[in-house]
């Protein structure tokens, strides 16, 4: 019998991870616990802060990422604000020093952006106030394609008072080159991601070579503009490209950083940090860890790392 294709294997993993009928069994699974230990800091903020402190001792920065349910009402948004402020207050004392800032990483869904932009803006402002007081930056995930305009407007509004707010841009989306130009002209800090699979051809590049080219064009725009840029990819070709473009633009370490997933390619992370680059590691924690593994498996390279862990080959 022939081996399953990569896409079919990815689909099987994704279906298994989020099947409600199997969730209790999966959470007790020894092999899945191994993946959880590698890619998730734990369920509590204290575990995430301990991981951030360890990363700092290995010359890496942290972006704490609370794994929360999607907010659908005021109570959900307030829970996000409370968790974010607590994480900011806890992580700041153990990672401060020099010009280094820790970071809190949030999804627009945690702020109920799609349901109530005004409430989302108020919540984000309060989180940024806490971040400014403790030298902890705030970064927003890209969110669904349908909410992109709302997200960019949210960032534009809140950045007036909190200029270090960072937004994520998905390079594989057709609109992102134009968005990169707009953000660069505004001086906004940008986290550039390659983007996972699953979005239709009408809004996103499907061919992987085209995706790489789109990433390169967005990156060239951002680095050429002088805005603070976060390169969030594990792809060696794109990392080499970022190095080259950074050299051409005369970027110092304060204007460019590389972001990696916790547990993914740790040797690469350390080599990059030891070479003098600013490295930040996304540190997820919280009750929705199974959903995080699902999100990780949506990426072909993420699926490979997950399978290696589950089969003991990591």
């Amino acid at each position: 019998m022939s081996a399953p294709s990569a896409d079919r294997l990815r689909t099987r993993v994704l279906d298994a991870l989020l099947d409600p009928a199997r969730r209790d069994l999966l959470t007790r699974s020894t092999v899945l616990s191994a993946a959880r230990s590698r890619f998730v800091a734990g369920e509590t903020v204290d575990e995430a802060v301990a991981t951030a402190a360890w990363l700092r001792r290995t010359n890496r920065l942290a972006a704490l990422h609370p794994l929360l349910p999607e907010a659908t009402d005021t109570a959900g948004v307030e829970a996000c604000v409370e968790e974010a402020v607590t994480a900011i207050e806890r992580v700041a004392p153990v990672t401060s020093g020099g010009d280094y800032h820790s970071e809190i990483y949030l999804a627009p869904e945690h702020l109920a952006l799609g349901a109530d932009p005004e409430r989302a803006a108020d919540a984000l402002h309060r989180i940024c106030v806490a971040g400014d007081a403790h030298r902890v930056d705030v970064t927003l995930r890209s969110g669904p394609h349908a909410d992109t305009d709302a997200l960019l407007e949210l960032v534009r509004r809140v950045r007036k008072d909190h200029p270090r707010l960072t937004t994520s841009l998905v390079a594989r989306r057709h609109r992102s080159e134009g968005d990169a130009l707009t953000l660069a002209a505004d001086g906004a800090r940008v986290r550039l991601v390659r983007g996972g699979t699953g979005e239709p051809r009408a809004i996103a590049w499907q061919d992987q070579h085209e995706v790489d080219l789109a990433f390169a064009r967005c990156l060239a725009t951002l680095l050429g503009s002088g805005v603070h840029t976060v390169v969030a990819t594990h792809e060696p070709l794109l990392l080499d490209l970022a190095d080259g473009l950074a050299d051409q633009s005369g970027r110092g370490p304060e204007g460019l950083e590389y972001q990696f997933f916790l547990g993914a390619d740790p040797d690469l992370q350390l080599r990059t940090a030891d070479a003098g680059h600013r490295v930040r590691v996304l540190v997820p924690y919280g009750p929705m860890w199974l959903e995080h593994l699902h999100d990780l498996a949506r990426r072909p390279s993420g699926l490979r790392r997950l399978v290696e862990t589950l089969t003991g080959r990591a």
Side-chain angles (χ1 to χ4, degrees):
M1 184 172 62
S2 61
S5 68
D7 287 341
R8 187 177 303 173
L9 179 59
R10 186 181 307 116
T11 299
R12 289 179 182 177
V13 172
L14 296 179
D15 290 345
L17 282 177
L18 290 187
D19 184 351
R22 300 179 182 176
R23 189 177 184 98
D24 289 343
L25 178 63
L26 284 170
T27 57
R28 296 193 302 269
S29 165
T30 301
V31 289
L32 200 59
S33 293
R36 177 184 176 186
S37 297
R38 177 177 175 183
F39 298 112
V40 181
E43 291 205 20
T44 69
V45 67
D46 289 338
E47 290 171 300
V49 169
T51 299
W54 166 71
L55 288 168
R56 190 69 188 88
R57 291 194 295 271
T58 60
N59 203 29
R60 290 172 287 176
L61 304 174
L64 266 58
H65 177 26
L67 303 174
L68 304 171
E70 180 177 349
T72 57
D73 54 21
T74 300
V77 174
E78 290 305 310
C80 170
V81 173
E82 181 179 358
E83 183 62 43
V85 171
T86 298
I88 287 169
E89 292 173 346
R90 296 280 184 85
V91 76
V94 302
T95 57
S96 60
D99 66 339
Y100 294 116
H101 289 227
S102 284
E103 185 174 292
I104 186 82
Y105 176 77
L106 301 170
E109 304 93 287
H110 294 159
L111 304 171
L113 174 62
D116 190 339
E118 290 298 324
R119 182 167 57 194
D122 174 71
L124 182 58
H125 168 72
R126 286 185 283 148
I127 292 169
C128 287
V129 166
D132 291 345
H134 294 277
R135 291 170 52 84
V136 176
D137 293 333
V138 179
T139 291
L140 291 178
R141 187 174 174 171
S142 56
H145 180 273
D147 291 341
T148 301
D149 286 330
L151 175 63
L152 294 178
E153 175 60 18
L154 171 68
V155 170
R156 186 192 67 79
R157 289 177 57 186
V158 178
R159 276 194 66 252
K160 292 178 181 179
D161 296 317
H162 308 285
R164 292 184 66 89
L165 175 65
T166 304
T167 187
S168 298
L169 198 62
V170 179
R172 76 181 305 141
R173 293 176 179 169
H174 297 155
R175 62 171 293 165
S176 291
E177 290 179 59
D179 291 336
L181 284 168
T182 300
L183 290 165
D186 290 343
R189 297 160 63 93
V190 178
R191 173 182 178 266
L192 183 64
V193 302
R194 191 173 181 272
T197 59
E199 294 188 319
R201 187 178 303 274
I203 63 173
W205 300 107
Q206 305 298 305
D207 179 80
Q208 299 308 305
H209 179 61
E210 292 288 354
V211 176
D212 288 343
L213 290 175
F215 188 99
R217 292 191 293 269
C218 290
L219 184 60
T221 295
L222 296 171
L223 291 179
S225 72
V227 299
H228 180 91
T229 304
V230 179
V231 177
T233 181
H234 287 254
E235 299 298 328
L237 176 65
L238 299 181
L239 291 172
D240 288 343
L241 173 67
D243 280 347
L245 290 175
D247 287 341
Q248 290 179 17
S249 64
R251 282 297 181 103
E254 68 282 352
L256 173 67
E257 65 182 53
Y258 296 88
Q259 187 179 95
F260 301 100
F261 285 110
L262 180 68
D265 301 316
D267 290 341
L268 173 63
Q269 294 182 23
L270 291 171
R271 287 199 306 272
T272 306
D274 289 344
H277 299 294
R278 182 165 295 188
V279 170
R280 191 176 302 276
V281 178
L282 196 65
V283 180
Y285 73 95
M288 309 297 286
W289 61 270
L290 199 57
E291 285 74 9
H292 174 71
L293 295 183
H294 172 275
D295 186 53
L296 185 64
R298 286 181 61 244
R299 301 163 173 81
S301 59
L303 178 63
R304 171 181 56 78
R305 297 183 188 98
L306 187 58
V307 170
E308 287 174 351
T309 301
L310 297 180
T311 57
R313 292 187 287 114

